[in-house]
Amino acid sequence: MAEDLDRLSYSAAQTCSLVLATAAMSEGRSKSRFATPPFSYFEGRAPSFFVRNIPANLPLVAYLRRGGLAPRKESFMATILLPAKYATTNPNLLGGLNGINAEGAWKLGYNGAGTRVAAVDDGFNYKNAALAKNYSTSLDYDALRRDSDAMAEGDDYHGTMVMGVIGASADSTRSVGVAYGSTLIGVRVGFGSLSSAAQFTDAMTYAWKNSDVVNMSWSYSAWGEKQTYTPVLAQGSATGRGGLGAVWVSSAGNNGGIGDDVNLHGVQSSVYVMTVGSTDRDGAGSSFSTHGVAVHVAAPGNGIVTTVDEGFGTGSGTSFSAPTVSALASLVLDANDHLGWRDVQEIIGMTAHKTSVTTGYLVNKAGDWNGGGMHHSSTFGFGIVDAGAAVRLAETWSDHGTTATMKVASANVAVNKAVGADFASSTTVADNLHLDKAQVTINFSGVDWGDYRISLVSAKGTESVLLDHAYTNSGANASGIFTTEQFWGEDSKGTWTLKLHDYATNDTLTLTSWSLSLYGDRAKADNQYVYTDELGAMAKADASRLVLGDANGGLDTVNFSAVTGKLNFSLADGGTLTGTDGAVTKLTLKAGTVLENLFGGAGDDILVGNAVNNYLRGGYGNDHLRGGAGIDIFIEGQNTGEDWIDDFTAGEKVWLTQGVSLASLNGRTAMLSDGGKIVSGTAYIWKTTDFVRVDDWLDRLPHSDVLIA
């Protein structure tokens, strides 16, 4: 049964520390329904005696209250400094291992401007001064009342809180949104007995048609919606944003404490969705956060300061982790609006990192992330997000990850055998895909899901536990669909194995069949090797990460855009990365490796090409670029600083990107329109013809498009 929002009296709230509440409020639409919200809001599950009997299979939003009865009033909340000062005390915005480094994106000029973020939720008080500037009353929609005004009414306040996390304006004195320059679109729905699948489908359809990013901070009870919303999620991904695809973001849910799993929820386990878990201020997974191998990333969800009615309050739950990532998707699209929805997922996943809690991660058998495989946890996904690293990687991302470019390798296996204590069934995949996600459909003769541990072993040998001891069965449903992100970056070709362990060995269930769907891109010889600030830590556990080898030809890119330290790297010899802590990591190249493109990061870098034609981009900081032999292209963009091109020769070019143009020339010095400076390190005197404005430079990078069988 799905839980409804329940209304508690003040005295009833005193009796428990975990409550489901919508608070006693006046009914009807008004500018200000209550001056001081009666609770601090958290997602969670109420004790059974606070839950009313309502129709099953309806979406829910729940709030968890801890500690005192009233939220922190404005006079007791820490003041949030303006983005212009690049400082905040709100835990979802801080830097460091346990924050999302929002200012790392803001300092580069990315605040979500030009992007639209929709929230499908219970209503929005757009009269709140922190929302009024960014909220679009001309684009919002009420799917419950079927009108064009999504104003909060009655018991609505969750949507207002979610919206503040996304885009509270820059001049707010209490809470600044992660994407404080984005356009906010409220899409109102009802919950519990006021909801229906048709209403939610209508709301989600409106959302993807009118926005770039869609936030969904709600869930059904376990096994509730099944695949009800797969068609609308697929349609939005395929046709939204002119075919680039709407970016869907969902909260993981807050039933982690009772053993829930995101694979028991159709939206949270959808291949089209980024599902977000919650972390606390110490970097641990929040106790309430629902786990699962379909979790994509994590973001802070404890004690988040945000908008409530016309004021502010604090909230905890994955309801606030998800909009943090929705806002990050807005920042990523601000940095590169040509990205497909799969690109956004991959960039955010690749730049996520471990918090101060480093245990509980699986490392897969991929080879293009920090010299090896990606880490993933059922609690954190790929880790806590990093806004600064994500926008820098987005600036240099040349792939086109859309539904149109997505390939699916599939296999169907008929079994019809009784499952004993341990059972395995294998199938061979002939297609060679570079993987994003894998999905398994299992058909049993019964419904005792809680008795089983179900895992999938990839062709590379990585084992991902899809479901372990489901805390509740699925009613009469003997089929289950389970998704994992733990094979991201691996190749698909080879033997895949489904493994079942029965904790209750006296069962007589029959596995009738299972099927496998693998999602990704056709494997190509053109490789992109991405490095982040986690290289040093990952290499301590696996020294092979420090040797970069590429044996399949193609046109390859070594991408350090997400790195904040100082890089000294040659495409001929390798080099070193000096972290912000002073630690030095040395990278070497395997004999015979030929690489073409090299992108630097946020530090003062030294980048050197090799004997072939190279594309070199210093990125941020004051960089030295040296192409070596060949006809080389030097790529300059925003916030260049003072870059030196040490061996420029006639016939080579400097590409000016990101709207930057040539302002003036003075001998060996070129001034750019954003104040950047490029100096010729030799006696070469600049000519205007050496500089070319190239706004589509990512599309103009050469590609071989050679497939790997």
Side-chain angles (χ1 to χ4, degrees):
M1 176 180 291
E3 291 85 357
D4 187 14
L5 292 179
D6 200 5
R7 176 176 296 167
L8 302 181
S9 68
Y10 187 87
S11 59
Q14 290 178 306
T15 65
C16 67
S17 61
L18 180 62
V19 301
L20 191 66
T22 55
M25 307 174 193
S26 60
E27 298 292 336
R29 198 173 285 211
S30 71
K31 291 178 61 178
S32 180
R33 298 183 318 281
F34 52 96
T36 303
F39 297 106
S40 289
Y41 302 109
F42 293 76
E43 273 198 352
R45 178 181 290 268
S48 59
F49 53 87
F50 282 126
V51 180
R52 294 184 302 207
N53 291 325
I54 60 163
N57 300 325
L58 296 177
L60 64 98
V61 178
Y63 304 94
L64 164 70
R65 184 195 61 77
R66 288 179 177 171
L69 294 169
R72 302 169 189 162
K73 297 181 181 180
E74 292 186 42
S75 59
F76 295 101
M77 290 192 297
T79 298
I80 307 303
L81 300 180
L82 300 184
K85 298 180 181 179
Y86 301 117
T88 179
T89 58
N90 211 357
N92 69 317
L93 302 178
L94 294 172
L97 283 176
N98 300 332
I100 73 159
N101 186 27
E103 68 176 13
W106 296 343
K107 286 179 178 179
L108 302 182
Y110 299 119
N111 59 25
T115 68
R116 298 170 298 170
V117 184
V120 178
D121 219 299
D122 71 355
F124 310 88
N125 191 333
Y126 48 75
K127 301 295 185 180
N128 188 303
L131 299 179
K133 288 185 177 180
N134 294 334
Y135 187 94
S136 174
T137 55
S138 63
L139 288 175
D140 67 349
Y141 174 61
D142 188 336
L144 174 60
R145 296 190 179 274
R146 304 299 298 272
D147 63 32
S148 59
D149 186 353
M151 180 67 179
E153 58 180 85
D155 289 345
D156 297 349
Y157 48 80
H158 188 263
T160 304
M161 298 180 75
V162 166
M163 203 64 96
V165 174
I166 297 170
S169 59
D171 57 0
S172 168
T173 59
R174 289 294 182 267
S175 176
V176 175
V178 176
Y180 60 81
S182 62
T183 298
L184 307 176
I185 301 173
V187 182
R188 183 173 180 250
V189 290
F191 286 92
S193 60
L194 296 177
S195 71
S196 68
Q199 178 195 128
F200 267 62
T201 299
D202 177 38
M204 293 163 70
T205 301
Y206 182 90
W208 74 253
K209 286 184 175 181
N210 290 278
S211 69
D212 304 304
V213 182
V214 182
N215 185 85
M216 301 174 290
S217 287
W218 44 266
S219 70
Y220 280 70
S221 56
W223 307 99
E225 79 275 35
K226 302 182 176 67
Q227 302 305 307
T228 300
Y229 300 114
T230 297
V232 67
L233 294 170
Q235 185 184 25
S237 298
T239 60
R241 298 176 55 235
L244 294 174
V247 179
W248 299 98
V249 182
S250 174
S251 57
N254 300 301
N255 286 331
I258 61 172
D260 198 2
D261 192 295
V262 295
N263 260 328
L264 302 181
H265 303 267
V267 170
Q268 281 73 14
S269 63
S270 170
V271 296
Y272 303 106
V273 173
M274 278 193 291
T275 295
V276 186
S278 174
T279 60
D280 64 21
R281 290 172 183 256
D282 297 320
S286 300
S287 60
F288 49 76
S289 188
T290 300
H291 298 189
V293 293
V295 172
H296 190 67
V297 288
N302 283 69
I304 306 302
V305 182
T306 186
T307 47
V308 180
D309 195 60
E310 292 189 10
F312 298 88
T314 59
S316 290
T318 58
S319 273
F320 309 110
S321 305
T324 297
V325 175
S326 291
L328 174 54
S330 167
L331 301 182
V332 166
L333 293 176
D334 189 4
N336 184 348
D337 61 4
H338 295 288
L339 297 171
W341 65 271
R342 293 193 299 124
D343 298 321
V344 176
Q345 288 194 6
E346 188 156 25
I347 288 166
I348 290 175
M350 278 193 158
T351 54
H353 59 81
K354 294 180 181 178
T355 67
S356 55
V357 177
T358 60
T359 57
Y361 284 87
L362 169 152
V363 178
N364 69 18
K365 302 299 194 302
D368 55 4
W369 181 80
N370 283 313
M374 297 186 69
H375 57 57
H376 188 279
S377 157
S378 61
T379 300
F380 303 100
F382 294 112
I384 193 169
V385 295
D386 184 325
V391 297
R392 294 197 306 273
L393 185 58
E395 289 177 335
T396 63
W397 194 266
S398 61
D399 291 346
H400 295 283
T402 65
T403 297
T405 62
M406 182 171 69
K407 306 300 179 185
V408 183
S410 59
N412 298 294
V413 184
V415 181
N416 293 313
K417 291 182 179 179
V419 177
D422 289 284
F423 183 88
S425 174
S426 298
T427 187
T428 299
V429 174
D431 294 326
N432 196 10
L433 305 185
H434 191 69
L435 289 178
D436 296 344
K437 304 184 183 185
Q439 193 170 75
V440 173
T441 301
I442 297 174
N443 299 305
F444 271 146
S445 63
V447 295
D448 292 332
W449 297 97
D451 291 344
Y452 290 93
R453 182 179 69 242
I454 304 169
S455 61
L456 180 66
V457 182
S458 74
K460 297 296 183 182
T462 303
E463 183 170 355
S464 179
V465 179
L466 307 177
L467 188 67
D468 193 3
H469 253 334
Y471 82 101
T472 181
N473 283 325
S474 63
N477 186 20
S479 296
I481 300 177
F482 309 106
T483 303
T484 177
E485 303 208 359
Q486 295 191 321
F487 308 126
W488 203 295
E490 291 190 359
D491 294 330
S492 64
K493 188 175 183 178
T495 299
W496 291 72
T497 301
L498 177 70
K499 296 172 65 176
L500 304 174
H501 173 74
D502 185 359
Y503 291 104
T505 56
N506 59 342
D507 279 354
T508 58
L509 284 182
T510 295
L511 175 64
T512 57
S513 64
W514 67 282
S515 62
L516 175 66
S517 296
L518 304 175
Y519 299 83
D521 298 286
R522 189 72 65 190
K524 296 181 179 180
D526 295 353
N527 296 307
Q528 177 172 221
Y529 300 100
V530 173
Y531 291 88
T532 74
D533 286 339
E534 287 197 285
L535 172 61
M538 298 302 294
K540 287 180 180 178
D542 179 7
S544 68
R545 291 176 177 270
L546 299 178
V547 181
L548 173 57
D550 183 273
N552 57 17
L555 299 174
D556 307 304
T557 298
V558 186
N559 195 332
F560 291 94
S561 298
V563 167
T564 57
K566 295 183 178 181
L567 181 67
N568 186 339
F569 192 88
S570 165
L571 290 177
D573 305 311
T576 60
L577 173 62
T578 303
T580 54
D581 60 356
V584 178
T585 303
K586 184 177 181 180
L587 284 167
T588 61
L589 302 183
K590 184 178 288 187
T593 295
V594 179
L595 305 164
E596 288 74 28
N597 309 324
L598 177 60
F599 302 154
D604 299 335
D605 300 330
I606 299 174
L607 307 183
V608 182
N610 53 23
V612 302
N613 298 339
N614 303 131
Y615 289 74
L616 304 181
R617 181 184 187 270
Y620 298 95
N622 302 316
D623 306 312
H624 278 261
L625 310 179
R626 186 162 58 251
I631 305 299
D632 304 307
I633 302 293
F634 303 91
I635 303 166
E636 300 285 349
Q638 296 175 358
N639 303 304
T640 293
E642 182 176 312
D643 286 358
W644 286 64
I645 301 179
D646 295 334
D647 64 345
F648 190 91
T649 59
E652 297 181 321
K653 295 294 181 183
V654 178
W655 283 3
L656 302 180
T657 67
Q658 297 178 290
V660 172
S661 59
L662 182 65
S664 65
L665 294 178
N666 185 7
R668 295 169 46 231
T669 300
M671 298 301 299
L672 305 182
S673 59
D674 71 339
K677 180 189 294 186
I678 306 174
V679 180
S680 169
T682 65
Y684 186 85
I685 303 300
W686 292 121
K687 303 178 180 63
T688 57
T689 54
D690 297 327
F691 298 84
V692 182
R693 174 81 175 266
V694 184
D695 290 328
D696 60 344
W697 74 275
L698 291 168
D699 292 328
R700 292 178 61 176
L701 289 174
H703 298 274
S704 72
D705 292 327
V706 175
L707 299 179
I708 300 175

